[in-house]
Amino acid sequence: MQDISLEQAVEVLLEQVGPIRETEQVPLMEALGRTLAEDFSAPFDNPPFDRSPLDGYTFDSRAVASATPQAPARLRIIGEECAGQFFDRPVPQGCAVRIMTGGAIPSGCDCVVRQEDVAAEGDTLSVPLALHHLENYCFAGEDIRRGTMLMRGGTKITAAHLAVLASMGCARVNVIRPVRIALASTGDELLQPGEPLRPGRIYNSNLYLLAGRLREMGFAPKILGILPDDCAEAARAVQAELDQSDLILTTGGVSVGKKDIMHGVVRQIGRRLFWRVCMKPGAPAIAYTADETLGIALSGNPFAACATFELLVRPVLAKLSGRDELLVRRVQAVLTNGFSKPSPGRRFIRAYYEAGKVRIPEQHASGSLFSAVGCNAFVEIPAGTGPLEPGTKVGVVLL
């Protein structure tokens, strides 16, 4: 297929992939940001025992039912319990145990009095007030009851989820294995940062742009680096990654020039799905499959690579990972500063969006990179649109 709409291109791409079902078990501390593979229910009550919410003394409330400041009840202190300890014998009526916050309430006790409200001398406790049954008393399962569904499979694990899992004694977690992405740039003109700048050469920014964007989204791409403008060598490099990748992502080599090698690479290793999408920038994108792995080759122009990554690749990543929050979101906004160029074809322009208003920076050429800093949206301009005046209501893609 050639010269297809953005919507058709996304549909074709999504037909080639499905949500990853393979799982792996990881230590709890490494599970942050991962996707839970199965439902998780509480295996026990939490807290697992009745406990004290404060530092004080615990006893049977009936022993102090008639206590007053003028006639305090006197109890015999028979022990002490700190958090993490366990007083393992019943407390007779008329006796008390000193207890610290979080301590398990012993058998025979049904309340806790604050340490500040009583007086202790030797093994005698004076209680100048009556307490009610279950006063200052935290029940087992007060936070979580055994069998409670705590999180569903497909949940993205946050710090709060880690804490809940830890409170349930969970040392390892079954998670969906990560999406495996191989990332490369093509072009003999490219240098890696740190190399001396030479005539006719430029530094490879696309690799850092896309790797950074993937990592912002929680993915860990395998960086292949720069592929040369040699079709056979580039094909070998891509071929070597097929068995261990869900997605091959490259930039450059997709137009019609002498060194646009990705056409030849695709012919050597797989089957082309489409070339050219009816949008600007980034129209000459190529999608292909090779050994059941999806490949997407994006334009080498920095903003073109950025735009097509957000509009073509993000939906694929959302489906592979099962993360709907990655799907493209669109809103309407008021354009604050206008756009002087006509748009014979469908166009996406970098922009700053805030509170229903959107502004286009002065520099918006597809080869320009600096003006994209701080942009958080694209203004979407339909084909056949003339210059846009300030105050025009426009469609906005949120990033």
Side-chain angles (χ1 to χ4, degrees), residues 188-205:
D188 291 339
E189 76 280 11
L190 298 177
L191 296 170
Q192 287 288 44
E195 296 183 73
L197 186 61
R198 301 196 291 276
R201 308 291 289 275
I202 58 173
Y203 287 118
N204 183 8
S205 60

Side-chain angles (χ1 to χ4, degrees), residues 93-341:
Q93 191 168 351
C95 296
V97 170
R98 188 182 184 193
I99 193 168
M100 306 304 166
T101 302
I105 294 179
S107 174
C109 301
D110 69 348
C111 67
V112 181
V113 67
R114 290 196 314 164
Q115 184 170 298
E116 303 94 304
D117 295 337
V118 296
E121 186 174 344
D123 64 354
T124 300
L125 179 71
S126 295
V127 183
L129 71 164
L131 276 84
H132 304 296
H133 176 58
L134 301 181
E135 187 169 347
N136 299 326
Y137 194 103
C138 293
F139 291 94
E142 189 173 62
D143 183 19
I144 300 170
R145 299 296 297 180
R146 179 180 178 180
T148 300
M149 176 61 67
L150 298 180
M151 53 197 81
R152 295 285 185 184
T155 299
K156 184 179 179 183
I157 298 173
T158 65
H161 291 123
L162 287 183
V164 171
L165 290 165
S167 76
M168 292 287 101
C170 184
R172 299 181 69 84
V173 189
N174 284 327
V175 294
I176 302 295
R177 73 150 173 84
V179 180
R180 299 175 303 203
I181 305 164
L183 176 64
S185 296
T186 69
D188 291 339
E189 76 280 11
L190 298 177
L191 296 170
Q192 287 288 44
E195 296 183 73
L197 186 61
R198 301 196 291 276
R201 308 291 289 275
I202 58 173
Y203 287 118
N204 183 8
S205 60
N206 285 347
L207 199 66
Y208 291 84
L209 171 69
L210 299 189
R213 196 70 179 104
L214 287 164
R215 287 171 177 152
E216 285 179 343
M217 295 176 177
F219 301 102
K222 179 179 180 179
I223 307 300
L224 305 183
I226 300 170
L227 304 184
D229 286 333
D230 179 284
C231 186
E233 190 172 339
R236 283 193 294 271
V238 174
Q239 183 89 50
E241 301 301 320
L242 296 178
D243 288 345
Q244 50 198 335
S245 301
D246 303 301
L247 177 65
I248 306 288
L249 190 60
T250 60
T251 65
V254 294
S255 192
V256 294
K258 179 180 178 181
K259 293 297 186 73
D260 285 309
I261 60 165
M262 289 306 299
H263 300 277
V265 170
V266 171
R267 283 192 296 269
Q268 287 190 35
I269 67 172
R271 176 177 66 92
R272 193 179 79 181
L273 300 171
F274 63 74
W275 175 54
R276 297 190 60 85
V277 181
C278 294
M279 59 175 285
K280 184 178 179 181
I286 302 173
Y288 60 95
T289 57
D291 293 349
E292 300 183 354
T293 296
L294 178 63
I296 306 176
L298 306 177
S299 169
N301 284 327
F303 184 67
C306 173
T308 43
F309 174 85
E310 299 292 344
L311 298 169
L312 291 175
V313 179
R314 266 180 68 170
V316 172
L317 296 173
K319 189 170 182 180
L320 283 168
S321 63
R323 291 170 51 195
D324 288 346
E325 74 271 17
L326 293 179
L327 292 172
V328 173
R329 293 189 299 131
R330 286 176 163 83
V331 297
Q332 294 286 307
V334 174
L335 187 61
T336 61
N337 63 334
F339 183 68
S340 61
K341 293 183 178 181

